[in-house]
Amino acid sequence: MRRDFSNGYLVAEMFSWYYHEDFPMHSYNNGTSLPTKQGNWAQIERFLAKQNIHLLKEVLDGTIHCKPGAAELLVQEIYTILTKRRIKGNQGREIDFTDRDYQDQLPMLARATASKAIKNNLRLTEVIAEPNISTNQRKVQAIIHMHLEQRATERAQNPTERFNVKPTLGELAVRLPPSSHHGDDSSDSNASVQSGTAKSCEPSIRSKASVHFKEIEVRQTDRRSLIAN
């Protein structure tokens, strides 16, 4: 669908049913090259400006460069303009023409790296249509920043799936808040435990103090006899 709508031919055909004189279809070329796309969309944008019809520039650019979700959103906007009716559930939708939804469906190990994210989200036609190096560098930096934020969010939200982290027994145990009327009993029990621990340590200390060491005498040979031999 996004390839079919990228050259603007189908968009011109839809508008021609409502504005016959403004959209002569013989002046539109159903090709796939970038100059063909730019020529068709230039005619459509001139008509939209004449009729005071406003479409988002991001949606038009995303449709030209076959961005995911751009053509669908453009068709919905054209439907609203031509029929004066809104589509339910389309209001307040965030414009995001990246491959984030597709990456979320993949397992952690199969998701795109930074270089792959640049290749997926920056089309070659964008670079050809806008040859400014500074503009393309800003686009690349924005894609890398988005990729790093997405990876950081994945590591924070899904540590179990990524690093195979298993919860400890302390995390699995049900923790009940201490009751107030058992405070004295708990303090007594703690005191008894501490006293029992001190008593159990006394025999070990005594046993260590009663250890005796035996001295062993070692006879050494005379060095002078060894030299004489």
Side-chain angles (χ1 to χ4, degrees):
M1 180 178 179
R2 57 189 179 185
R3 293 190 181 92
D4 294 336
F5 279 88
S6 63
N7 60 2
Y9 187 84
L10 294 179
V11 176
E13 188 174 2
M14 287 190 293
F15 276 107
S16 66
W17 286 89
Y18 293 85
Y19 305 94
H20 303 283
E21 298 179 355
D22 296 322
F23 280 90
M25 293 306 299
H26 61 83
S27 62
Y28 292 89
N29 186 7
N30 192 13
T32 58
S33 63
L34 182 60
T36 299
K37 296 178 182 180
Q38 292 175 338
N40 291 344
W41 281 104
Q43 298 183 63
I44 296 173
E45 288 178 353
R46 285 196 296 268
F47 163 77
L48 296 177
K50 186 189 300 183
Q51 296 293 330
N52 199 18
I53 298 175
H54 301 284
L55 289 174
L56 293 176
K57 183 66 175 176
E58 294 83 356
V59 178
L60 295 179
D61 293 340
T63 304
I64 293 173
H65 303 301
C66 299
K67 293 296 186 70
E72 292 85 344
L73 186 58
L74 177 65
V75 172
Q76 294 174 2
E77 293 294 330
I78 294 175
Y79 173 82
T80 302
I81 292 172
L82 297 178
T83 62
K84 309 300 180 186
R85 286 181 282 182
R86 301 291 300 178
I87 298 177
K88 295 181 179 180
N90 191 31
Q91 299 179 357
R93 180 181 176 182
E94 182 182 359
I95 297 177
D96 184 13
F97 299 144
T98 62
D99 62 340
R100 181 180 301 178
D101 295 337
Y102 172 72
Q103 295 294 328
D104 291 338
Q105 299 175 4
L106 298 176
M108 293 291 184
L109 297 176
R111 295 183 182 181
T113 58
S115 59
K116 184 65 175 177
I118 296 173
K119 182 179 179 181
N120 293 341
N121 297 300
L122 184 62
R123 305 291 181 179
L124 179 60
T125 54
E126 291 184 76
V127 180
I128 297 175
E130 184 63 41
N132 191 348
I133 297 177
S134 300
T135 303
N136 293 326
Q137 285 180 349
R138 287 194 296 269
K139 291 180 180 179
V140 170
Q141 292 296 332
I143 293 172
I144 294 175
H145 181 69
M146 178 198 67
H147 174 73
L148 294 178
E149 285 187 346
Q150 187 175 359
R151 295 298 292 270
T153 304
E154 292 171 359
R155 293 171 182 173
Q157 292 180 352
N158 302 314
T160 303
E161 297 180 4
R162 186 175 180 84
F163 302 107
N164 197 19
V165 178
K166 297 181 180 180
T168 61
L169 294 177
E171 294 175 350
L172 295 176
V174 179
R175 298 180 180 274
L176 299 177
S179 56
S180 59
H181 61 276
H182 291 295
D184 299 336
D185 298 339
S186 62
S187 61
D188 296 340
S189 61
N190 291 335
S192 61
V193 169
Q194 293 177 357
S195 62
T197 305
K199 292 180 180 179
S200 60
C201 293
E202 290 179 359
S204 61
I205 297 174
R206 292 178 180 176
S207 61
K208 291 181 181 179
S210 60
V211 174
H212 298 282
F213 297 94
K214 184 178 180 180
E215 184 177 358
I216 301 176
E217 295 181 359
V218 178
R219 296 182 60 184
Q220 297 183 355
T221 59
D222 191 2
R223 294 183 179 180
R224 290 176 295 179
S225 61
L226 293 175
I227 294 173
N229 294 333

